[in-house]
Amino acid sequence: MIYLDYQATTPDAPEVAAAMQPWISEKFANPHSPSRWGREAAAAIEVARKQVEQAIGLPGGRLAFTGSATEALNWAIKGVMEKAPKDRNRIVTVDTEHAAVLDTCEWLEDKGCDVVRLPVGLDGLLDLDEVKAALDERTALVAVMLVNNEIGVIQPVAEVARLAHDAGALMLCDAVQGLGRVDLSEGPDLVAVSAHKIHGPKAIGALWMRNGVEPAPLIHGGGQEMGIRSGTLSPELCVGFGAAAKLASERRSTDHAHVERLWEAVRGELGRGWAINGSTDRRYPGNLNLRREGLDAARLISDLRDIAFSLGSACASGSGRPSHVLRAIGLSDREARSSVRLGFGRYTTEEELISAVRRIDAAARAQQGLAA
Ligand code: PLP
């Protein structure tokens, strides 16, 4: 199999599996119990916490582990809105955010919150004047992602945070696709991240909170995680997340150079008839969202069974609906259904990527009755 679905999830790093192993096979103590073994597990979790904080790279905050980034985003949005003064009930977000943000906002809208969803341009980027116009003293929270999971574009997070603060609002950044890859400039008050997008284990995420910012708890119980996120922590998942974050920080420039090389190689290889969705300037280069007039993308994906790639996004793929992100950048339903996403990274070789792109191009041409 050639794996080109790095935005859906990333292969586990061998270093991560090795770090997790003792915590799976021998060390099973509850990290919240006072025994020597419990304290040893708690200490390993604190090391992991620091490693994830360092990969986020923002000063003056603390981090709580969660069961996923989806949970971290739900917690941040619902928890901030619960504590917001009654006359600040507006959330400003963007049409191209992940469903974990958009669906949470919709749920709160049904409960009376005022939700403003900002459009993006054809390049997938926010217009800062529109952000400014949407913000006033009624705004409690601005939620804008760092790197888009479908089209890879990088939003101007620092500028948005500045505008949010000028209006007295907090800024939440979904940094799931950017962690360890794209600088998270100072600015956000809350940051959500996930281990499985950086070669770590699935089912663990985290919420970073600037000191003094504390959303109301989403999960109540035994008072773990500073009393604000209950539930017994999993030492193996936390240690795995920490190891993945440490590796991402250490390998950052090597990984980036590798992915840039792949991006250049793949762009050079693209045959005629393909267009790139989203900005080609402000983007993470490990995401290539391609469109081809008249292509049946779902058929292409099922025809090429030994290449793992995706429709607009893994989440949209199951629903049968065309991707909301591609629709938001102005594509028609038909154009959105003619788009595929190739995601590559640390373990992708140039040979396999080029061979996959050639086969995708040939299969697309064959589907359209064109000569190879
Ligand atoms: N935000 C973005 C941008 C994502 O790509 C994803 C995962 O696809 C999530 C949030 C949710 O992350 P998790 O799988 O940890 O719930």
Side-chain angles (χ1 to χ4, degrees):
M1 183 192 41
I2 301 181
Y3 186 74
L4 297 180
D5 209 6
Y6 268 62
Q7 279 73 42
T9 198
T10 51
D12 294 322
E15 295 89 336
V16 169
M20 290 173 70
Q21 192 53 49
W23 299 98
I24 297 169
S25 50
E26 305 145 33
K27 304 181 181 208
F28 58 86
N30 185 322
H32 312 293
S33 83
S35 69
R36 176 158 68 83
W37 299 279
R39 279 186 278 121
E40 186 194 10
I45 288 173
E46 291 319 305
V47 171
R49 197 187 304 280
K50 282 267 161 318
Q51 290 166 329
V52 180
E53 284 172 350
Q54 273 163 12
I56 293 174
L58 297 178
R62 62 206 175 126
L63 179 130
F65 287 110
T66 59
S68 60
T70 298
E71 182 196 321
L73 291 163
N74 267 263
W75 176 19
I77 299 169
K78 292 176 186 170
V80 164
M81 294 315 288
E82 193 175 325
K83 282 194 165 178
K86 279 212 165 24
D87 54 352
R88 270 195 190 262
N89 79 336
R90 177 177 292 175
I91 309 172
V92 174
T93 187
V94 190
D95 280 341
T96 49
E97 292 292 303
H98 190 270
V101 168
L102 292 178
D103 287 11
T104 305
C105 288
E106 195 178 323
W107 187 83
L108 284 168
E109 197 170 31
D110 287 347
K111 307 234 167 308
C113 284
D114 172 24
V115 178
V116 177
R117 298 168 187 83
L118 296 171
V120 293
L122 298 178
D123 56 5
L125 294 169
L126 265 176
D127 177 342
L128 289 171
D129 287 336
E130 299 210 39
V131 179
K132 199 167 176 184
L135 292 172
D136 61 20
E137 68 291 343
R138 287 167 295 176
T139 312
L141 182 67
V142 181
V144 175
M145 72 196 338
L146 180 59
V147 177
N148 186 271
N149 50 309
E150 296 196 36
I151 55 175
V153 301
I154 301 172
Q155 297 292 4
V157 167
E159 291 83 345
V160 172
R162 213 166 299 128
L163 293 173
H165 294 158
D166 287 349
L170 295 174
M171 152 95 197
L172 163 67
C173 180
D174 170 351
V176 166
Q177 297 286 345
L179 181 65
R181 299 180 181 135
V182 173
D183 262 338
L184 183 60
S185 16
E186 274 190 50
D189 304 288
L190 299 134
V191 178
V193 290
S194 179
H196 73 104
K197 311 290 183 174
I198 59 161
H199 307 283
K202 292 169 189 62
I204 179 157
L207 182 65
W208 180 89
M209 294 156 272
R210 183 177 300 291
N211 290 335
V213 175
E214 188 175 295
L218 182 68
I219 297 183
H220 301 267
Q224 291 91 347
E225 290 297 79
M226 304 161 275
I228 51 174
R229 197 281 184 178
S230 290
T232 303
L233 286 177
S234 157
E236 65 261 39
L237 294 180
C238 294
V239 165
F241 196 175
K246 177 168 179 275
L247 205 57
S249 304
E250 287 167 357
R251 294 189 46 123
R252 192 175 156 153
S253 53
T254 328
D255 281 353
H256 197 79
H258 177 61
V259 171
E260 285 222 298
R261 251 195 323 275
L262 295 176
W263 164 262
E264 290 305 330
V266 79
R267 281 187 75 189
E269 193 58 39
L270 278 179
R272 281 184 42 220
W274 295 99
I276 296 174
N277 291 323
S279 166
T280 49
D281 302 326
R282 276 189 67 99
R283 67 176 303 114
Y284 168 64
N287 177 316
L288 184 61
N289 198 309
L290 294 171
R291 179 174 87 249
R292 187 182 179 90
E293 175 74 32
L295 178 74
D296 179 344
R299 202 176 114 206
L300 185 76
I301 288 168
S302 73
D303 285 350
L304 293 168
R305 289 182 163 270
D306 60 335
I307 305 176
F309 61 120
S310 187
L311 291 173
S313 86
C315 307
S317 299
S319 71
R321 278 177 284 130
S323 141
H324 71 282
V325 174
L326 297 182
R327 297 289 284 117
I329 62 168
L331 301 194
S332 64
D333 269 13
R334 194 178 141 82
E335 288 171 319
R337 288 185 205 279
S338 300
S339 298
V340 293
R341 183 187 65 188
L342 309 186
F344 37 89
R346 185 183 296 165
Y347 302 114
T348 313
T349 66
E350 189 168 326
E351 286 96 324
E352 64 179 349
L353 180 58
I354 296 302
S355 123
V357 167
R358 285 185 184 153
R359 287 183 51 212
I360 289 168
D361 184 59
R365 290 171 157 280
Q367 190 191 94
Q368 298 180 306
L370 299 172

